[in-house]
Amino acid sequence: MKRILILGANGQVGRELLDASRPLGEIVAATRDGALADGTPCLRVDLADAGSLRAALEHAQADVVVNAAAYTAVDRAEDEPELADRVNHRAVGEIGDWAKSHGALVVHYSTDYVFDGSGFDGSGFDGAGTRPYREDDATAPLGVYGHTKLAGEHALAASGAAHLVFRTAWVYASHGHNFLRTMLRLGAEREELRVVTDQVGAPTPARWIARTTAAAIARRAAMEAKPGGVFHLVAAGRCSWFEFAEAILRGAAERGLIVRVPRIVPIATSDYPTRARRPAYSVLDCARLENAFGLELADWRLGLDEVLGEIAAGSG
Ligand SMILES: NC(=O)c1ccc[n+]([C@@H]2O[C@H](COP(=O)([O-])OP(=O)(O)OC[C@H]3O[C@@H](n4cnc5c(N)ncnc54)[C@H](OP(=O)(O)O)[C@@H]3O)[C@@H](O)[C@H]2O)c1
């Protein structure tokens, strides 16, 4: 029986991991405030505090450490670079060091924001030569968040610990802070929503990430030659934020979650300035995940149906 330590168990992916990882063994959960979303007490770990991280790692003595905690406030990171670096980079290196000396596997998440979104060949948003990013394409983060996440990937690799890094993107769930929940809230309040149309990616349900993570851990355990390193993990297909908003609001209206679909106006990123710049082209090629583990995610539209269905069923 394996022991799985889940750090960040109150985040979008972390919450889904609590369920998805159950078949893998004994789960030890950790959150920043020492309690799960339903109030159940768990380990308290603040990744900004190396002592609390070390204590939890020693206490749990896990075979697999899954780090779903991260400093994810992309704009705020521009003003708090040291904290973002501590959480997304240095803490990840410390997890790796512990895992290396204890023979544990580290599973960690990274982001499409390690790329600048100009396409692997720099031909720009939807440039003629653009194809989805592969794991070994050149990275060039646009902001502090992306820089610190990339530094975390490197620190984990440098630790020498066995590891899987899943780079994902555009994560959402029926719970937590995400674009879908913002659209449902604003869609119920406003006549008109303005949404950017010149950024494309693949909206990926946190539940799919958690299920794929659990399946990869299980399959890897049974493999002779154990795969490791960075893997892209996103839903299939692609859309712009504008197209995603349209699909969310149409689907929500069909399910009675909102009374009518508001007018959705396509705008350019330049019309919606944010503190941090975001990559325009965020589509990731997941062939490496499929080749290594035989795992493939379905189209983003199916994911949206699933999450809206969950919200409509009131189980979110
Ligand atoms: N969200 C996205 O669109 C997206 C896209 C690409 C990659 N990712 C990556 O996917 C992974 C999971 O993201 P997510 O969407 O599940 O993130 P999330 O919902 O923002 O959850 C992050 C969790 O990390 C916890 N956390 C933040 N700072 C911490 C600290 N100092 N110590 C301990 N815990 C801390 C938060 O705790 P509190 O609950 O106490 O705030 C939260 O529960 C992350 O590695 C993220 O970088 C996410």
Side-chain angles (χ1 to χ4, degrees):
M1 176 104 159
K2 285 199 179 304
R3 275 164 79 83
I4 325 286
L5 172 61
I6 299 176
L7 300 169
N10 275 344
Q12 298 189 85
V13 173
R15 275 177 70 166
E16 299 291 347
L17 278 167
L18 291 174
D19 269 348
S21 313
R22 209 168 288 140
L24 296 176
E26 184 193 346
I27 306 298
V28 181
T31 65
R32 188 165 23 181
D33 61 3
L36 299 178
D38 65 4
T40 310
C42 67
L43 292 183
R44 183 192 300 269
V45 174
D46 182 351
L47 292 188
D49 167 13
S52 80
L53 173 59
R54 205 174 321 110
L57 292 167
E58 281 302 324
H59 175 83
Q61 292 295 321
D63 306 292
V64 183
V65 180
V66 185
N67 180 30
Y71 184 111
T72 54
V74 175
D75 290 313
R76 189 150 33 95
E78 298 296 316
D79 300 316
E80 293 185 329
E82 277 158 29
L83 180 58
D85 187 69
R86 167 67 223 158
V87 173
N88 290 345
H89 165 205
R90 281 185 290 146
V92 179
E94 288 158 12
I95 295 168
D97 291 342
W98 185 90
K100 171 69 179 167
S101 59
H102 291 75
L105 168 69
V106 182
V107 179
H108 178 64
Y109 299 95
S110 189
T111 169
D112 55 323
Y113 283 26
V114 299
F115 297 115
D116 68 6
S118 65
F120 80 100
D121 60 354
S123 67
F125 166 72
D126 244 1
T130 302
R131 54 147 173 79
Y133 281 110
R134 296 180 190 143
E135 288 81 354
D136 54 0
D137 282 331
T139 50
L142 294 173
V144 168
Y145 170 74
H147 271 287
T148 60
K149 293 295 292 183
L150 183 61
E153 290 184 11
H154 292 162
L156 183 52
S159 73
H163 66 279
L164 302 173
V165 173
F166 295 121
R167 278 191 198 141
T168 188
W170 293 31
V171 180
Y172 68 103
S174 61
H175 50 82
H177 300 289
N178 59 63
F179 181 81
L180 173 133
R181 302 222 321 151
T182 302
M183 286 299 112
L184 291 182
R185 180 169 48 79
L186 296 179
E189 288 170 11
R190 297 189 187 169
E191 297 279 311
E192 180 181 292
L193 299 181
R194 292 154 54 82
V195 186
V196 298
T197 194
D198 55 357
Q199 290 174 32
V200 292
T204 304
R207 185 166 293 175
W208 287 10
I209 298 169
R211 280 189 198 143
T212 307
T213 300
I217 294 171
R219 289 183 189 189
R220 185 180 180 281
M223 290 165 129
E224 191 88 19
K226 306 216 182 290
V230 177
F231 298 85
H232 288 171
L233 192 177
V234 290
R238 48 166 274 181
C239 62
S240 67
W241 288 116
F242 171 78
E243 289 165 324
F244 188 33
E246 275 194 318
I248 291 168
L249 292 164
R250 256 202 324 270
E254 280 163 14
R255 290 169 176 81
L257 294 171
I258 53 174
V259 289
R260 41 128 197 77
V261 178
R263 197 162 49 255
I264 312 168
V265 179
I267 60 167
T269 300
S270 54
D271 296 328
Y272 185 74
T274 51
R275 184 85 176 82
R277 281 171 66 207
R278 270 103 173 131
Y281 182 83
S282 270
V283 188
L284 305 182
D285 181 333
C286 299
R288 182 158 196 258
L289 180 75
E290 194 187 345
N291 293 337
F293 296 107
L295 294 167
E296 201 180 358
L297 274 65
D299 191 89
W300 67 269
R301 293 173 195 83
L302 292 175
L304 177 59
D305 282 347
E306 202 177 293
V307 175
L308 285 175
E310 188 191 329
I311 294 172
S315 59

